[in-house]
Amino acid sequence: MSSYSEITKRSYPRFSGVHTFFRLRYQKPEKVKSHVLLCGIPFDGGTTYRTGARMAPSRVREISALGRGYHPQWNQDVFETLKPVDVGDIPTNPISIKKTYELIEKHIFDLAEKDKKKILSVGGDHSITLPILRALSKIHGPLNLIHFDAHFDTYPQAYGMEYHHGTFVRHAVLEKCVNKVFQFGIRGPYVVKEDMDFCKKHKIQVFTVDDIKNKGLKVLSELPELIKGPCYLSFDVDCLDPAYAPGTGTPVVGGLNSYEVQRILRNLKIENLIGGDVVEVNPSYDHGDITSLVAVSVLFEVLNLMV
């Protein structure tokens, strides 16, 4: 067994031991040697409806004990190939989104700058993605963004607050952290008709649930043959129908199913996936850990896309 594979394989039951993502090795950030780092970001101070996503990193770690490394479609053991490690949680300030943004941006930059390491994180609500994009765009330049969500996340301020979990795409575009943006799973109802205007103005390519249900994987033919340059993938679990992801902050009926998500992820053509996140898992509203299981599946698919 290599020093980067699952700690226990079949030596210990999957319900035992100290939990890390996929039972991988834990390394302190200052000692990490791996090129692919997994981390938690336990923050939900940007949530406008159900709170509780701050509890997701610990729960997803526990459920990820069911994960395994070999992908039959890709014919590779991603743990042996990438040698990822868990570097713990990014510090957050539960009562200040401003301070949390500063902490996330600094720590992600420090983790990723040396050797341009790849970062895969578990939130937290979707507000955490903006400081990650700020940090990574400082290292790589403007990123391409693949965004799975029920919502555009290009919305205006809410309750007098400019930054919340529904604004990260708008800020990332205006701050030039991202270049091309591709969105999957978007659906109504909208608050107002003008909700679509930002995406149209900035030429964000939107694939609604209807597009995916009607065309299947043919929607991917509308993407570039290869998404070139540095790319980031942000996955909000509310892109799925609540039947498949009930544990989330802002559930919207009529979404994707878990198999459709797997098929899309397995057929994306990305030249250089430098980071990603899974956000908006809310264990307080989950049933039988359905949503955490989906999060583990998405993490696994994203790791395979990084190879």
Side-chain angles (χ1 to χ4, degrees), residues 18-79:
V18 177
H19 297 294
T20 60
F21 289 118
F22 297 103
R23 303 201 301 175
L24 296 169
R25 302 283 171 176
Y26 168 75
Q27 287 187 355
K28 292 182 179 180
E30 63 271 18
K31 295 183 178 181
V32 72
K33 296 180 180 179
S34 174
H35 193 62
V36 178
L37 315 181
L38 288 89
C39 63
I41 307 182
F43 179 76
D44 58 11
T47 304
T48 57
Y49 188 45
R50 294 173 172 173
T51 58
R54 67 181 66 182
M55 303 300 179
S58 60
R59 189 60 183 160
V60 173
R61 277 190 177 93
E62 184 174 353
I63 298 304
S64 72
L66 290 168
R68 294 163 176 82
Y70 179 77
H71 199 308
Q73 284 80 12
W74 292 73
N75 190 28
Q76 62 191 10
D77 187 319
V78 72
F79 300 155

Side-chain angles (χ1 to χ4, degrees), residues 9-10 15 43 52 56 95 105 108-109 128 180 187-188 214 222 225 231 237 259 268 274 279 295:
K9 287 286 186 183
R10 290 189 170 95
F15 49 79
F43 179 76
I95 56 175
E105 183 175 350
I108 292 294
F109 183 86
I128 68 157
K180 295 179 180 178
R187 56 193 181 274
N214 293 332
E222 300 174 35
E225 185 174 340
C231 185
V237 295
Y259 182 59
L268 290 173
I274 56 91
V279 296

Side-chain angles (χ1 to χ4, degrees), residues 95-145:
I95 56 175
S96 171
I97 194 168
K98 180 178 182 293
K99 293 291 186 183
T100 293
Y101 273 20
E102 293 170 358
L103 289 165
I104 295 172
E105 183 175 350
K106 178 185 185 304
H107 282 80
I108 292 294
F109 183 86
D110 290 346
L111 286 171
E113 182 186 25
K114 186 177 180 181
D115 303 323
K116 293 187 176 179
K117 290 181 169 61
K118 297 175 186 283
I119 308 291
L120 182 54
S121 59
V122 174
D125 68 53
H126 220 154
S127 67
I128 68 157
T129 304
L130 178 60
I132 297 173
L133 294 174
R134 286 172 173 171
L136 294 180
S137 63
K138 286 181 179 178
I139 298 168
H140 299 274
L143 312 171
N144 293 312
L145 173 65

Side-chain angles (χ1 to χ4, degrees), residues 157-203:
Q157 64 176 353
Y159 315 109
M161 301 300 293
E162 183 60 37
Y163 298 98
H164 56 82
H165 66 164
T167 63
F168 92 91
V169 173
R170 175 168 62 86
H171 284 288
V173 170
L174 295 178
E175 293 177 23
K176 296 183 171 25
C177 297
V178 298
N179 183 14
K180 295 179 180 178
V181 181
F182 309 95
Q183 296 185 321
F184 293 89
I186 306 297
R187 56 193 181 274
Y190 307 140
V191 178
V192 293
K193 180 181 178 181
E194 289 73 24
D195 281 355
M196 299 178 284
D197 289 353
F198 187 92
C199 290
K200 291 178 180 178
K201 178 180 178 180
H202 293 276
K203 297 182 172 143

